[in-house]
Amino acid sequence: MRFVHPQYLFFLFAVIVPLIVHLFKLRRYKREYFSNVRLLQQIHQEQKKSAKLREYLVLVCRILTIVCIVLAFAQPYVPKDEAEAYGRQSHHETMASVYLDNSFSMQAPASSMRKLDQAKAYVRSILENLPPDASVQLLTNDFSGLQQQFYEVGELMDKLFVVETSPFSPAFEEIRARQQALFDAESVPESARMCYYVSDFQKSVWPLPMRRRPDSLATWVFVPVEGPDYANVSLDSVALEAPVLQAGREIGLHVFLQNHSDKEQYQMPLRLFVDGRQIGAYPADLEPGEPLDIRIPFRLENAGIHTAYVEVPDYPVEFDNRLYFSLNLADKLPVLHLYSTRASAAVSKVFQNDSSFLYQAVDIARLDYSRIASARLVVAEGLRSMPSALESALADFVRKGGSLLLIPEDPVFVADAKDEDANGKASAASFHSASDGLLKKLIGSGFRDFRQIDAPLRWINREHPVFSLALEQAGQASSLEKSANERFPYVKTACILPGSGGAYVPLMSLRSPQAGAGQNEAGRDFLRAYAVGSGWLYLLASPLSPDYSDFTAHYTFVVSLLNMALCQGGQQPLYNTVGSRDPLYLPSRLFQGKEWLYHLYSLDGKFDFMPEVRHRGAETVLLTHGQPVEAGSYGLAAEPAGSDRNPQEYECLWPLSFNYSRAESDKDCWSAEELQSWIERYGDARTYLLRPDKTDMGESLARIERGKELWKVFLIFALVFALAETMALRKTSLH
């Protein structure tokens, strides 16, 4: 047993007073006059032994009453166990860590103030009720280095005053790991660890662990910050209809909103801004708890870099009211056509007549391999040879996000004279493609035998972007079968496309896939798409010559080639998340020939940071190490060492937009009842729920800090002993 105010125990010397009274018999007798001696017969003759017993009883009651009153004022308590009592006396009386949730959700109202202000008041009460010599860590969502140390209570009062909202929302396990790291560094015994958590406990960022707590000797105290219900509409994300944007063409922007309340939201103005100029406003009607997809069409006449954002007015939580994104409109998309003997005129007709593409046809004998990395689409047609350097360059191009269309060579060119048939064609067994080495690197196997088909194609995958971007019936399950009036390409001879250890998607086939049958049987597909790394490998089953098929005369040939160039793998995201430590993958062409210093800067000139840049072959990785911490439009620039230009004068190489995480847009929080249920199931005797709106903060904290308090028990005993003394004295007077 320990005492909060042990100095009051000196008043135990007051027990001398009843002893003195008992020893000196200070009782004064009252003289009574009477005239008749008969009254003496009515006097009860008190036994001497009984009288002494009663006197001793009164003396004991008086002594115990004084002792109990003194002990009650000294406020005794029983520590949770002897280990904790020992731990509290080692190094410091109290070692505590207080977590204050300062995430964006704490902007919501709580009675007459913000939740953050209410949480600060709770933390202030915790600090005031800790012992004066306590060592305390104040931890917020910022996780700064200065927070990984203990402070005196007075120092933290000043630090508490400047805490503001933060864009970060760490999970409970991350918070607990930071607290445990400091306790371990300071060698604090587990029994002496006090952990306080003051938060609104949003379910989206506080997934409570569904297991028994591992450190059973530490004390956990959960302090929920509750408030009235409020409405919140968030801008969750944006997406573009087309993967490539071109100047002068319509851009379809899809904006996704979410109503996180049970109230209807009508005619909310959704506004789009591009390069600081408002493009338009669109009314949004949101049903309770429902998402909404709004399509915004607009055009931009100039190619290049554009910054944009959409916003919707909403109160009181405002961090998710604006969403920034970047647009990079291409001037001309580079298409590289590789061939060995001659290039098909059909490919050149598709791209040369379209001003959106920069088309180049190059014989591989005169190819500069550096052109491959900067291409949007590489068409490798009928290559009779494949040098190892070219194999490596093409394989790296696909894995890093490029699109490669591989067309097999005419088997006549590789046939031996003894294997030729009467028509001068190569037999099936004699075909060995020069591209097999590349295919084995990418998908594990190469082209197989040629076969006589003499049948039209019967199925087109209208759901794949190669066709869905142009075909009218895209995405309709009922349209998988070809129309009775629609003529598909006729195939005379085709080779069997290789299988793959990974996934592939059939795009055109001789028959439609059967439900539950998986991918088509080998030899049935005419065009396939293989996902390889971040890019796409497209394989055609026959050369482009009319001797093999009339594919080049069909509209699907034009559609497929154009969309292969547009649907390049490795697309850059429209925006990134503030504070994320994930690497950013950027086009390698931005960094070619530049040995300067790179800057990640805000377009308003208020932020300038030098990220870490790593070159990995054709891949360039940008590491921002958690920067920036504010949502907005940013740019990447290259400046020579020693440059004194300010950020507003930088030349932007690539636009980057950053937005706050939408994890806290969902306002659903753990209620006090749910927290209590979790504590009862997964907590223990050292896990507490403190509700300042229901109980006295100081009293509850004192009980948690000191364990079981006994002052009320001693006060009750003092009253009992006083009552016993009164009854004994009254009985004496009656006699």
Side-chain angles (χ1 to χ4, degrees), residues 138-193:
L138 179 61
L139 189 64
T140 66
N141 293 345
D142 298 311
F143 279 5
S144 67
L146 294 176
Q147 295 178 355
Q148 282 303 102
Q149 56 183 310
F150 287 113
Y151 294 90
E152 294 181 357
V153 172
E155 293 180 88
L156 290 184
M157 289 295 186
D158 297 332
K159 294 181 180 297
L160 186 64
F161 179 76
V162 298
V163 173
E164 288 299 332
T165 53
S166 168
F168 309 111
S169 51
F172 176 51
E173 292 299 330
E174 297 179 74
I175 298 167
R176 200 174 64 83
R178 296 280 293 193
Q179 293 175 322
Q180 186 171 346
L182 179 59
F183 283 135
D184 291 343
E186 297 293 331
S187 301
V188 180
E190 285 192 2
S191 58
R193 300 179 182 184

Side-chain angles (χ1 to χ4, degrees), residues 641-692:
S643 173
D644 57 354
R645 299 173 65 186
N646 61 62
Q648 291 181 327
E649 298 175 339
Y650 290 163
E651 180 182 354
C652 184
L653 297 176
W654 193 262
L656 292 167
S657 295
F658 290 85
N659 291 294
Y660 299 123
S661 170
R662 266 38 182 181
E664 290 197 297
S665 295
D666 188 355
K667 59 188 181 65
D668 192 15
C669 302
W670 296 104
S671 65
E673 291 73 19
E674 289 174 318
L675 287 173
Q676 185 62 48
S677 176
W678 176 84
I679 290 173
E680 292 173 357
R681 185 172 182 181
Y682 298 103
D684 56 21
R686 292 175 178 81
T687 308
Y688 300 90
L689 177 66
L690 180 59
R691 299 188 64 181

Side-chain angles (χ1 to χ4, degrees), residues 36 65 91 180 192 205 290 309 326 384 407 456 472 552 561 594 629 661 677 724 734:
N36 197 331
T65 300
H91 186 61
Q180 186 171 346
V205 295
E290 294 296 326
Y309 64 86
S326 304
R384 297 175 56 186
I407 303 171
E472 205 173 55
T552 57
L561 258 66
K594 292 185 180 293
V629 296
S661 170
S677 176
L734 289 176

Side-chain angles (χ1 to χ4, degrees), residues 13 44 218 306 359 372 469 488 490 579 623:
F13 289 111
H44 176 68
H306 299 271
Y359 172 78
I372 295 176
L469 293 177
F488 281 174
Y490 189 88
L623 301 176

Side-chain angles (χ1 to χ4, degrees), residues 239-253 298 300 302-304 306 325-333 356 376 566 571 574:
L240 297 172
E241 288 183 348
V244 176
L245 307 179
Q246 294 177 285
R249 296 189 177 183
E250 181 179 288
I251 300 173
L253 177 69
F298 65 99
L300 295 175
N302 299 322
H306 299 271
F325 59 98
S326 304
L327 301 174
N328 196 2
L329 273 66
D331 187 11
K332 289 182 179 293
L333 303 179
S356 302
R376 187 82 185 183
L566 296 176
Q571 294 293 320
L574 292 177

Side-chain angles (χ1 to χ4, degrees), residues 610-639:
M610 296 180 64
E612 182 180 354
V613 179
R614 295 180 181 177
H615 302 284
R616 299 174 182 172
E619 182 180 59
T620 301
V621 180
L622 196 70
L623 301 176
T624 63
H625 301 288
Q627 296 293 331
V629 296
E630 291 187 8
S633 297
Y634 295 80
L636 181 67
E639 289 291 315

